[in-house]
Amino acid sequence: MKLKTLLAPLPTSKITGTESVNIAGVAVDSRKIQPGFCYIAIPGTHVDGADFIPDAIRQGASAIVSEKAAPPTLASQVAWVQIPNAHVAAALLAASWYRFPSRYLKTVGVTGTNGKTTTTFLLQHIFRKYWHRAGLIGTVTYDNGATRTPSQQTTPGPLDTASMLNDMLNHGCRAVALEVSSHALTQYRTVGIEFDVGIFTNLTQDHLDYHHTMEEYFQAKSDFFRQIIQGPGKKKPIALINIDDEYGRKLTEMFASSLTIKTFGSSLQCDFRMIPHHMSPKGSEIELVYKNKSYLIRIPLIGRFNLYNALGALAGAVCVGIPIRDSIAALASCHQIPGRMELAGIKENVHIFIDYAHTPDALANACKTLKDLGSGKLITVFGCGGDRDRTKRPLMGKIAAQYSDSCIVTSDNPRSEDPEAIIRDILSGMPSSKIQTISDRKEAIRTAIEQAAKNDIVLIAGKGHETYQEVADGRIDFNDFTQVRQALAHWSHQNQQNYLQKPFHGKTDRS
């Protein structure tokens, strides 16, 4: 590809050298440069990509894209492209290099604090039922239509995303569902993607260590809709917004004149309106009102929050052209979402659930849902992450105590912080009763399961699908599901031993 062709989507640039040079690849990491590559120098939080431009040139880069002007010593060696924002340039050049793969896919992005993962999983499930192959990019996994790999971050960098979208096309995918995080939006990672639909789920407290205030957090989320308006292609995107959420209502006001907006929720004015009917440990039923017609929807998921996720996914599928009855039929056969209110085991009618809930709102939703389902006690095991928003710790403590009959406060990715110090922050929001503190998460899970009696429910919150603990020395293997299985096996063995050792005082067949 000629440099001139690669640079075509950039709104502004200043070029020193020839645009006719051939480009063999694009990279934002100087260590990945090969002869003929274009190197994009991105300023980061800790290092500036511009510092590695000489290394990129030594390794054979033919072109440099940077926010800095070309120094005289280097201007004669390569084509130099000066741009105002390297993050934006990287996203647009990634899409350009792969010839805008999202242009040929039904592309649905989902943003919000809670529900992104479940909504995208459900979307992909509907897409696959209707189109057979579809992609997925999100917190749990990347699926290119042929293979699934564990994800590294919710929304990858633009080059990785563009490469995956290109693979999806090559594997016959017709659509893709992707999670769009607030971090990705502030870093312009999705600028080069052409969306058909952008879904907003909700906004509650999270990531204030990064965004500082809820208003700043909201502005980051609203950037998603600003970006899809200014997308590089000719699609006419639809904003699909949950207007039961106060921030969703703000978004509809902000973009009413610039975007086609469809709404979902339980409000009378919603385009896709749900009326909850029935909920059990096996699933939920809701009535959908759409275009003055009513439909009964059955989904094998529990929790009012999952009703919103299912409704958002169904509405998103309808907005990209899948008939509503096909979407409803597909939802009925969906599977449990990894680590999202997932049933991990049963012990003598004690149901044990694992959920990713790591925000005050998500924990409240999870606790309320399970408390309403069971006739026994709710035992909640949870913690808070280290090196993150400290203000939510006492809030989560208060919520867990409010909705649970018993709480075990434990460790959850303490990172560089002292787990005991994090626990003290959580306890500051909790009453003194109904609380145990066990910093060893393995022991906390085992204790909760051993303490549970018939008809009780155990909620293990915070880590969900994660298979590690982040501690001061790095990551160590840790999986809540594995710990549940081990705890159940230990409990079963102990009960068997107790039974065998118990003296017999009744009659035998021979007496």
Side-chain angles (χ1 to χ4, degrees):
M1 180 183 288
K2 297 291 186 183
L3 178 61
K4 182 178 181 179
T5 303
L6 178 67
L7 300 177
L10 293 183
T12 57
S13 61
K14 179 183 177 182
I15 302 170
T16 303
T18 177
E19 292 181 278
S20 62
V21 62
N22 284 315
I23 300 298
V26 179
V28 295
D29 185 339
S30 63
R31 294 167 296 185
K32 295 181 179 180
I33 292 295
Q34 298 179 34
F37 268 44
C38 172
Y39 173 59
I40 308 169
I42 298 179
T45 305
H46 304 292
V47 295
D48 187 345
D51 295 339
F52 302 96
I53 289 174
D55 294 339
I57 293 174
R58 279 193 294 272
Q59 288 175 220
S62 296
I64 302 294
V65 176
S66 173
E67 293 177 5
K68 298 181 179 180
T73 54
L74 299 178
S76 60
Q77 300 181 44
V78 292
W80 192 287
V81 184
Q82 185 181 7
I83 37 80
N85 187 313
H87 290 280
V88 172
L92 291 172
L93 295 181
S96 180
W97 174 252
Y98 288 100
R99 294 176 172 81
F100 296 95
S102 61
R103 188 169 292 173
Y104 309 100
L105 293 161
K106 295 293 186 183
T107 305
V108 182
V110 183
T111 199
T113 305
N114 301 313
K116 296 188 298 296
T117 297
T118 298
T119 303
T120 52
F121 263 83
L122 294 176
L123 271 166
Q124 190 203 27
H125 179 77
I126 298 171
F127 291 161
R128 291 172 71 178
K129 285 289 183 179
Y130 192 72
W131 282 314
H132 304 295
R133 287 202 175 185
L136 175 68
I137 297 174
T139 303
V140 176
T141 189
Y142 304 146
D143 184 342
N144 63 17
T147 57
R148 281 193 170 190
T149 56
S151 68
Q152 301 302 311
Q153 55 188 149
T154 297
T155 312
L159 280 168
D160 289 334
T161 298
S163 174
M164 281 188 271
L165 294 173
N166 188 60
D167 287 343
M168 291 173 196
L169 279 179
N170 292 335
H171 293 141
C173 292
R174 297 279 302 278
V176 57
L178 60 132
E179 296 183 49
V180 182
S181 69
S182 57
H183 293 67
L185 289 165
T186 58
Q187 295 167 16
Y188 304 99
R189 291 183 218 157
T190 58
V191 166
I193 300 173
E194 299 179 19
F195 290 95
D196 293 271
V197 178
I199 300 177
F200 174 80
T201 60
N202 53 66
L203 194 76
T204 61
Q205 182 173 334
D206 198 17
H207 303 305
L208 296 191
D209 55 304
Y210 184 82
H211 297 293
H212 308 301
T213 67
M214 284 298 294
E215 180 58 29
E216 187 178 330
Y217 185 27
F218 172 65
Q219 289 303 322
K221 291 296 187 185
S222 61
D223 279 345
F224 179 43
F225 298 98
R226 295 187 186 93
Q227 289 177 17
I228 66 176
I229 290 169
Q230 300 165 0
K234 297 180 180 179
K235 287 183 177 181
K236 296 180 179 179
I238 295 171
L240 183 57
I241 298 174
N242 170 18
I243 58 169
D244 286 355
D245 183 273
E246 64 171 313
Y247 289 101
R249 293 191 291 273
K250 288 183 180 180
L251 286 173
T252 60
E253 294 173 4
M254 289 173 63
F255 296 101
S257 62
S258 53
L259 268 173
T260 298
I261 294 178
K262 299 290 183 181
T263 59
F264 69 98
S266 59
S267 304
L268 287 172
Q269 63 269 36
C270 288
D271 296 300
F272 296 84
R273 179 186 169 217
M274 70 171 177
I275 304 171
H277 273 199
H278 175 71
M279 199 175 299
S280 75
K282 294 182 178 180
S284 308
E285 284 185 0
I286 63 172
E287 179 184 348
L288 168 66
V289 180
Y290 175 64
K291 291 187 175 180
N292 298 317
K293 291 184 179 180
S294 294
Y295 305 86
L296 182 64
I297 301 176
R298 293 185 175 93
I299 54 171
L301 303 176
I302 61 172
R304 186 174 177 85
F305 56 94
N306 270 330
L307 303 185
Y308 283 96
N309 297 332
L311 185 62
L314 184 146
V318 171
C319 286
V320 295
I322 298 178
I324 191 165
R325 292 189 183 278
D326 292 279
S327 299
I328 291 170
L331 277 180
S333 64
C334 70
H335 307 290
Q336 287 196 98
I337 313 302
R340 270 64 180 175
M341 199 55 75
E342 189 172 3
L343 182 61
I346 301 175
K347 157 200 146 179
E348 288 191 343
N349 211 37
V350 172
H351 290 74
I352 303 156
F353 289 89
I354 288 176
D355 192 73
Y356 190 53
H358 62 285
T359 68
D361 183 67
L363 185 60
N365 285 331
C367 288
K368 286 189 286 187
T369 294
L370 295 179
K371 185 64 178 171
D372 290 343
L373 288 179
S375 59
K377 301 191 302 295
L378 172 62
I379 302 171
T380 300
V381 180
F382 79 105
C384 289
D387 301 334
R388 299 293 186 269
D389 178 14
R390 292 185 61 176
T391 65
K392 72 179 182 181
R393 295 174 186 174
L395 295 178
M396 292 181 67
K398 180 180 178 180
I399 285 166
Q402 179 180 354
Y403 295 110
S404 308
D405 297 286
S406 177
C407 297
I408 300 178
V409 184
T410 188
S411 181
D412 180 346
N413 292 335
R415 301 182 179 92
S416 69
E417 288 193 63
D418 177 6
E420 297 292 346
I422 297 173
I423 290 173
R424 286 194 295 272
D425 286 343
I426 296 170
L427 294 178
S428 68
M430 304 180 78
S432 58
S433 61
K434 306 188 300 184
I435 301 169
Q436 292 175 265
T437 61
I438 305 175
S439 60
D440 184 329
R441 192 174 179 92
K442 176 179 180 178
E443 186 60 32
I445 292 171
R446 176 174 293 185
T447 299
I449 292 173
E450 289 177 350
Q451 289 179 352
K454 186 177 181 180
N455 297 325
D456 288 351
I457 292 177
V458 177
L459 168 63
I460 303 167
K463 294 187 62 60
H465 65 283
E466 292 178 351
T467 57
Y468 55 83
Q469 275 269 49
E470 292 186 64
V471 297
D473 297 331
R475 287 187 174 184
I476 58 174
D477 290 340
F478 191 94
N479 187 318
D480 282 353
F481 289 92
T482 301
Q483 300 308 320
V484 168
R485 286 193 292 270
Q486 291 178 357
L488 287 173
H490 180 263
W491 175 86
S492 179
H493 177 73
Q494 288 293 105
N495 270 22
Q496 185 179 32
Q497 290 295 107
N498 291 339
Y499 174 79
L500 292 174
Q501 294 170 9
K502 186 177 180 180
F504 182 77
H505 299 293
K507 295 181 179 181
T508 68
D509 289 339
R510 296 177 61 184
S511 55

